[in-house]
Amino acid sequence: MSELKDKLLKDEYKDKEDLRNFPVVALLDITEEESKLLKELGLDTIENLSTKWSDQYAKMAKKVPKERINSWIAASRLLLVEETEKVTTGAKIIMVGIDNAGKTSLSIALKHRGALSSLFQRLNGLTPTRGLLRSKIDVFGMDVHLHELGGQSIYREDYLENPQQYFVGTDTIIYVIDIQAKDRFQESFEYLKQIINVANNLKIKVPWKIFFHKSDPEYEIDDKSAEVFNSIIEYMADKCPYFNPATDFFRTSVRIRSSILGAFSHIFRGISLIQDGVNEATESVAQGLDADFFGLYDFRSNICFARFAKEDELEDLAHNAYYDAIESIVDIREPFLRIRRYTLDDNVNEIFILRDLKFSGERYIMAMLTTDESMAKDLDQDAIQEIIEDKLQDWIEFRGYAAFPMEK
Ligand SMILES: Nc1nc2c(ncn2[C@@H]2O[C@H](COP(=O)(O)OP(=O)(O)OP(=O)(O)O)[C@@H](O)[C@H]2O)c(=O)[nH]1
Ligand SMILES: [Mg+2]
């Protein structure tokens, strides 16, 4: 607990008593100005912020970026965790798109362990989803409910006519487009417009993500298709306030595992309120380990909970290497699972190191890439574990509090 105080409070508050009545300005990452705003809204103390934030959220969001507000709420909840009831936290993600776009395939590919060939076998036998299909994944201690809306036109009508039933309480909406189905672009774009329309009418303000799916390695996008994709992104940027045209679309393919893992990990980290703190801690772990990439994967869901990469390419390389490795290690228990070497285009040798870790009884896999030969050679297991624990343990332990409480 005291370590958590160190991380979340300004120096002058670290040794004081009566945490719940601290003014919000005690939080590390908040300015005087910002704390005044919260005070005006009745969120003057840590306790009030942690319990009454939801009534004032919209007002705060008008003045301050959401990421900042989220991190204050998370910090106040984390600080009071010992006194807070164990609340259920969770998230709801909707996947939507016309039939055959690949929604069910994406959800299967995300959870699949084992060889790619056995994944393709499963996907070949898929039949169209009949209406709403729900599944639940445990991601970083939150329950993530994944809702797929089967895209055949007979089902689409119902979503558009009774949207509240499907869209209320959603944290993120993913729209999936089959980029190889040129003759269906028009239909897919129209459906997207309709869905945005009903969501906007319901005043559902959530992040939207676009998956340009079936972006297989050998598939080349022609100019005409590229034009359509650009106009979709422009349309989204215009109509959806929480769609960022620079970062919120993904090229995914079941043939490129890193593409799916990367996209979903981005989305799940976005839902987590402690994202900023985790990012900072992860960067310092990477520095401590002299790693060009460091990532911590939740073994059950495959989701990358924390990651830092010096270059984007290294992240893709590591995600792919992670998937390759877990194909063969499902049941094997060894401290060091794998060490591998990759030579990159510019003749740089990256050493990939993977190991099994446990935090609070949950299994994690750590992956890193380093060019430091001596580091890789005399790898001291305990030292590695120590560095990670020192920086990330608290974040991992409290990850279950890292999402908004579930709406009933
Ligand atoms: N080439 C290629 N084919 C894919 C990919 N992902 C899925 N498919 C194929 O696309 C077809 C349709 O996939 P589904 O996942 O059933 O599509 P869906 O969006 O769930 O369809 P509905 O349930 O009817 O809405 C299947 O035959 C998959 O094998 C991909 O990345 N590349
Ligand atoms: Mg389906």
Side-chain angles (χ1 to χ4, degrees), residues 99-100 102-105 126-131 133 148-151:
D99 54 294
N100 207 53
K103 301 175 292 298
T104 306
S105 306
L126 278 180
T127 52
T129 308
R130 293 196 255 166
L133 181 67
E148 270 172 54
L149 302 186

PDB file of all heavy atoms in Angstrom, residues 99-100 102-105 126-131 133 148-151, ligand 2:
ATOM      1  N   ASP A  99     -22.308  -9.530 -43.141  1.00  0.00           N
ATOM      2  CA  ASP A  99     -22.001 -10.958 -43.109  1.00  0.00           C
ATOM      3  C   ASP A  99     -20.718 -11.267 -43.886  1.00  0.00           C
ATOM      4  O   ASP A  99     -20.396 -10.585 -44.853  1.00  0.00           O
ATOM      5  CB  ASP A  99     -23.174 -11.767 -43.697  1.00  0.00           C
ATOM      6  CG  ASP A  99     -23.559 -11.281 -45.085  1.00  0.00           C
ATOM      7  OD1 ASP A  99     -24.044 -10.137 -45.202  1.00  0.00           O
ATOM      8  OD2 ASP A  99     -23.331 -12.024 -46.064  1.00  0.00           O
ATOM      9  N   ASN A 100     -20.021 -12.259 -43.411  1.00  0.00           N
ATOM     10  CA  ASN A 100     -18.791 -12.726 -44.057  1.00  0.00           C
ATOM     11  C   ASN A 100     -17.599 -11.768 -43.912  1.00  0.00           C
ATOM     12  O   ASN A 100     -16.560 -11.964 -44.526  1.00  0.00           O
ATOM     13  CB  ASN A 100     -19.038 -13.032 -45.544  1.00  0.00           C
ATOM     14  CG  ASN A 100     -18.076 -14.086 -46.065  1.00  0.00           C
ATOM     15  OD1 ASN A 100     -17.960 -15.171 -45.486  1.00  0.00           O
ATOM     16  ND2 ASN A 100     -17.363 -13.782 -47.144  1.00  0.00           N
ATOM     17  N   GLY A 102     -15.833 -11.327 -41.269  1.00  0.00           N
ATOM     18  CA  GLY A 102     -14.772 -12.000 -40.507  1.00  0.00           C
ATOM     19  C   GLY A 102     -14.818 -11.736 -39.001  1.00  0.00           C
ATOM     20  O   GLY A 102     -13.816 -11.941 -38.312  1.00  0.00           O
ATOM     21  N   LYS A 103     -15.968 -11.336 -38.474  1.00  0.00           N
ATOM     22  CA  LYS A 103     -16.077 -11.016 -37.041  1.00  0.00           C
ATOM     23  C   LYS A 103     -15.846 -12.246 -36.168  1.00  0.00           C
ATOM     24  O   LYS A 103     -15.049 -12.216 -35.231  1.00  0.00           O
ATOM     25  CB  LYS A 103     -17.474 -10.413 -36.741  1.00  0.00           C
ATOM     26  CG  LYS A 103     -17.757  -9.140 -37.526  1.00  0.00           C
ATOM     27  CD  LYS A 103     -19.169  -8.637 -37.317  1.00  0.00           C
ATOM     28  CE  LYS A 103     -20.253  -9.540 -37.914  1.00  0.00           C
ATOM     29  NZ  LYS A 103     -20.166  -9.689 -39.387  1.00  0.00           N
ATOM     30  N   THR A 104     -16.560 -13.336 -36.504  1.00  0.00           N
ATOM     31  CA  THR A 104     -16.396 -14.552 -35.702  1.00  0.00           C
ATOM     32  C   THR A 104     -14.959 -15.062 -35.814  1.00  0.00           C
ATOM     33  O   THR A 104     -14.361 -15.502 -34.830  1.00  0.00           O
ATOM     34  CB  THR A 104     -17.397 -15.631 -36.156  1.00  0.00           C
ATOM     35  OG1 THR A 104     -18.722 -15.074 -36.110  1.00  0.00           O
ATOM     36  CG2 THR A 104     -17.343 -16.848 -35.257  1.00  0.00           C
ATOM     37  N   SER A 105     -14.394 -14.966 -37.004  1.00  0.00           N
ATOM     38  CA  SER A 105     -13.009 -15.417 -37.201  1.00  0.00           C
ATOM     39  C   SER A 105     -12.047 -14.625 -36.326  1.00  0.00           C
ATOM     40  O   SER A 105     -11.118 -15.182 -35.736  1.00  0.00           O
ATOM     41  CB  SER A 105     -12.588 -15.242 -38.662  1.00  0.00           C
ATOM     42  OG  SER A 105     -13.502 -15.869 -39.510  1.00  0.00           O
ATOM     43  N   LEU A 126     -16.727 -22.369 -40.524  1.00  0.00           N
ATOM     44  CA  LEU A 126     -17.640 -21.397 -39.894  1.00  0.00           C
ATOM     45  C   LEU A 126     -18.922 -21.203 -40.687  1.00  0.00           C
ATOM     46  O   LEU A 126     -18.927 -21.171 -41.905  1.00  0.00           O
ATOM     47  CB  LEU A 126     -16.949 -20.037 -39.769  1.00  0.00           C
ATOM     48  CG  LEU A 126     -16.030 -19.849 -38.585  1.00  0.00           C
ATOM     49  CD1 LEU A 126     -15.427 -18.446 -38.615  1.00  0.00           C
ATOM     50  CD2 LEU A 126     -16.797 -20.053 -37.289  1.00  0.00           C
ATOM     51  N   THR A 127     -20.011 -21.061 -39.927  1.00  0.00           N
ATOM     52  CA  THR A 127     -21.280 -20.711 -40.567  1.00  0.00           C
ATOM     53  C   THR A 127     -21.681 -19.320 -40.088  1.00  0.00           C
ATOM     54  O   THR A 127     -21.175 -18.852 -39.072  1.00  0.00           O
ATOM     55  CB  THR A 127     -22.370 -21.725 -40.182  1.00  0.00           C
ATOM     56  OG1 THR A 127     -22.397 -21.842 -38.760  1.00  0.00           O
ATOM     57  CG2 THR A 127     -22.099 -23.086 -40.796  1.00  0.00           C
ATOM     58  N   PRO A 128     -22.580 -18.648 -40.817  1.00  0.00           N
ATOM     59  CA  PRO A 128     -22.976 -17.295 -40.417  1.00  0.00           C
ATOM     60  C   PRO A 128     -23.539 -17.261 -38.996  1.00  0.00           C
ATOM     61  O   PRO A 128     -24.234 -18.184 -38.572  1.00  0.00           O
ATOM     62  CB  PRO A 128     -24.076 -16.937 -41.429  1.00  0.00           C
ATOM     63  CG  PRO A 128     -23.793 -17.792 -42.613  1.00  0.00           C
ATOM     64  CD  PRO A 128     -23.225 -19.060 -42.074  1.00  0.00           C
ATOM     65  N   THR A 129     -23.218 -16.228 -38.269  1.00  0.00           N
ATOM     66  CA  THR A 129     -23.701 -16.070 -36.903  1.00  0.00           C
ATOM     67  C   THR A 129     -25.160 -15.623 -36.929  1.00  0.00           C
ATOM     68  O   THR A 129     -25.512 -14.714 -37.663  1.00  0.00           O
ATOM     69  CB  THR A 129     -22.858 -15.013 -36.168  1.00  0.00           C
ATOM     70  OG1 THR A 129     -21.485 -15.361 -36.310  1.00  0.00           O
ATOM     71  CG2 THR A 129     -23.222 -14.937 -34.693  1.00  0.00           C
ATOM     72  N   ARG A 130     -25.961 -16.293 -36.087  1.00  0.00           N
ATOM     73  CA  ARG A 130     -27.383 -15.951 -36.079  1.00  0.00           C
ATOM     74  C   ARG A 130     -27.680 -14.927 -34.996  1.00  0.00           C
ATOM     75  O   ARG A 130     -27.772 -15.271 -33.825  1.00  0.00           O
ATOM     76  CB  ARG A 130     -28.205 -17.217 -35.876  1.00  0.00           C
ATOM     77  CG  ARG A 130     -28.053 -18.135 -37.092  1.00  0.00           C
ATOM     78  CD  ARG A 130     -29.124 -19.171 -37.107  1.00  0.00           C
ATOM     79  NE  ARG A 130     -28.591 -20.457 -36.702  1.00  0.00           N
ATOM     80  CZ  ARG A 130     -29.340 -21.486 -36.362  1.00  0.00           C
ATOM     81  NH1 ARG A 130     -30.658 -21.371 -36.323  1.00  0.00           N
ATOM     82  NH2 ARG A 130     -28.794 -22.629 -36.033  1.00  0.00           N
ATOM     83  N   GLY A 131     -27.755 -13.698 -35.380  1.00  0.00           N
ATOM     84  CA  GLY A 131     -28.054 -12.634 -34.421  1.00  0.00           C
ATOM     85  C   GLY A 131     -26.894 -12.363 -33.480  1.00  0.00           C
ATOM     86  O   GLY A 131     -25.728 -12.481 -33.862  1.00  0.00           O
ATOM     87  N   LEU A 133     -24.170 -12.806 -30.687  1.00  0.00           N
ATOM     88  CA  LEU A 133     -23.369 -13.872 -30.071  1.00  0.00           C
ATOM     89  C   LEU A 133     -22.475 -13.252 -29.002  1.00  0.00           C
ATOM     90  O   LEU A 133     -21.685 -12.356 -29.288  1.00  0.00           O
ATOM     91  CB  LEU A 133     -22.514 -14.554 -31.143  1.00  0.00           C
ATOM     92  CG  LEU A 133     -21.626 -15.700 -30.675  1.00  0.00           C
ATOM     93  CD1 LEU A 133     -22.465 -16.887 -30.237  1.00  0.00           C
ATOM     94  CD2 LEU A 133     -20.663 -16.122 -31.778  1.00  0.00           C
ATOM     95  N   GLU A 148     -20.834 -10.025 -30.640  1.00  0.00           N
ATOM     96  CA  GLU A 148     -20.778  -9.999 -32.106  1.00  0.00           C
ATOM     97  C   GLU A 148     -22.187  -9.872 -32.644  1.00  0.00           C
ATOM     98  O   GLU A 148     -23.073 -10.613 -32.227  1.00  0.00           O
ATOM     99  CB  GLU A 148     -20.310 -11.360 -32.609  1.00  0.00           C
ATOM    100  CG  GLU A 148     -18.857 -11.537 -32.770  1.00  0.00           C
ATOM    101  CD  GLU A 148     -18.597 -13.016 -33.082  1.00  0.00           C
ATOM    102  OE1 GLU A 148     -19.196 -13.549 -34.036  1.00  0.00           O
ATOM    103  OE2 GLU A 148     -17.832 -13.628 -32.332  1.00  0.00           O
ATOM    104  N   LEU A 149     -22.391  -8.985 -33.580  1.00  0.00           N
ATOM    105  CA  LEU A 149     -23.708  -8.875 -34.186  1.00  0.00           C
ATOM    106  C   LEU A 149     -23.676  -9.514 -35.573  1.00  0.00           C
ATOM    107  O   LEU A 149     -23.126  -8.933 -36.511  1.00  0.00           O
ATOM    108  CB  LEU A 149     -24.136  -7.401 -34.296  1.00  0.00           C
ATOM    109  CG  LEU A 149     -24.184  -6.603 -32.981  1.00  0.00           C
ATOM    110  CD1 LEU A 149     -24.750  -5.211 -33.214  1.00  0.00           C
ATOM    111  CD2 LEU A 149     -25.018  -7.323 -31.931  1.00  0.00           C
ATOM    112  N   GLY A 150     -24.221 -10.715 -35.670  1.00  0.00           N
ATOM    113  CA  GLY A 150     -24.256 -11.441 -36.941  1.00  0.00           C
ATOM    114  C   GLY A 150     -24.756 -10.521 -38.049  1.00  0.00           C
ATOM    115  O   GLY A 150     -25.751  -9.824 -37.871  1.00  0.00           O
ATOM    116  N   GLY A 151     -24.050 -10.516 -39.179  1.00  0.00           N
ATOM    117  CA  GLY A 151     -24.249  -9.440 -40.154  1.00  0.00           C
ATOM    118  C   GLY A 151     -25.191  -9.722 -41.316  1.00  0.00           C
ATOM    119  O   GLY A 151     -25.347  -8.880 -42.206  1.00  0.00           O
TER     120      GLY A 151
HETATM  121 MG    MG B   2     -20.097 -14.546 -37.449  1.00  0.00          MG
END
